[in-house]
Amino acid sequence: MLSEQLSLQPRWEELCGRVFDGGYEVGDLLEADQDRARFTIRVLGDRDLAASALVLRASASAAASQLEIWSSLRRSPHPNLTKPLGFGAADLHGLDLLYIVLAKPEERLREVLRERPLQSEEAEELLRSLSAALEHLVSNGFVHGCVSPEQIGAANDTTQLTTECVRKAGITPDFEIVKPKYTAPESVDANVTPAADMWCLGATLVEALTGKECADGCTEQAAALPSPFQRIAERCLGDDPQSRCDLAEIKTLFQSRSMAAAASAGSGAMRVPELARIPELTRPSETPRERDPVPAAVIAPA
């Protein structure tokens, strides 16, 4: 039965117009391949809320595990992580599907980097935000697995790391939700450890400050970064995961930077950076709440 499902080509466009549980109407097909598709979503009862859905092929057992992860993230939200609006399992012409609905970010880091690299003040706020998000995941037994500019957006003056591909630490996912842009040297099938996330964080930092993808370990790119980003990137991009930079070390490096800045400024107040493209990252924001279930058309074979 599973082999038969894998041989079938999903007719993704036939999902358009269907309504997922919770009142999420599937809109236009944005992109698709054999295993996944992304759609615009119209939130019934809140026409002003822009959202999108990622729909994936997944067996019932694999879907159940991922649904529990997304449910945990919704129960324990963090301002620097996108909060799932809705998620669930579905069926399309005999194919088992899994979906997650997220609010559309106001801006994505990848779009900013197409125009220019970040300034040091922006990169510092970005790194603080991502560190806070990863720390929250680790404390709950998760890792991100796909850290890159494509997975970072801004909404309500807060930078957020998307939660689509979050997985349990140390466990390789049963299926690939998002194709990772960066993979740590020790990762065989997927990034599944906090150390692997740190490597991807270092690669993302290099790309954010140079505007160029981290290639071949990007050690030369990292070495050319300004302080303290040079030290952070080089420590994150180490080949040995046991000696790689961790979140505590990043905090220490930034504390040293802040103390040095305060000393040089004397008794005057420290300057708060004005981020031209990436909003302030440390202020909690209101995240769209998940909607109470409303009558919805269940996706079923035609």
Side-chain angles (χ1 to χ4, degrees), residues 222-234:
L225 298 181
S227 177
F229 306 110
Q230 173 189 357
R231 176 64 174 167
I232 293 173
E234 289 179 332

Side-chain angles (χ1 to χ4, degrees), residues 18-26 41-43 85-86 101 291:
R18 306 291 181 88
V19 180
F20 290 139
D21 287 342
Y24 303 102
E25 183 178 351
V26 180
I41 289 291
R42 185 166 67 95
V43 181
L85 299 178
V101 180
R291 299 188 57 78

Side-chain angles (χ1 to χ4, degrees), residues 108 144 146-153 160-162 164-165 178:
R108 292 185 184 276
H144 189 270
C146 303
V147 178
S148 71
E150 285 72 14
Q151 299 297 312
I152 300 166
Q160 296 178 322
L161 191 59
T162 184
E164 291 175 335
C165 60
V178 175

Side-chain angles (χ1 to χ4, degrees), residues 9-10 12 29 31-38 55 57 179:
Q9 172 65 46
W12 296 115
L29 177 63
E31 56 185 358
D33 60 22
Q34 176 73 19
D35 299 314
R36 62 186 62 77
R38 194 177 298 274
V55 185
R57 300 176 62 171
K179 294 181 179 179

Side-chain angles (χ1 to χ4, degrees), residues 35 191-192 212 270 276 290:
D35 299 314
N191 297 311
V192 297
K212 300 178 181 179
M270 291 186 63
E290 62 275 13

Side-chain angles (χ1 to χ4, degrees), residues 136-187:
H136 181 77
L137 291 178
V138 170
S139 67
N140 285 277
F142 300 128
V143 295
H144 189 270
C146 303
V147 178
S148 71
E150 285 72 14
Q151 299 297 312
I152 300 166
N156 297 323
D157 293 335
T158 302
T159 290
Q160 296 178 322
L161 191 59
T162 184
T163 50
E164 291 175 335
C165 60
V166 170
R167 69 281 312 265
K168 293 181 179 179
I171 300 178
T172 301
D174 293 320
F175 58 98
E176 187 177 64
I177 297 177
V178 175
K179 294 181 179 179
K181 181 175 186 177
Y182 293 122
T183 304
E186 72 277 6
S187 297

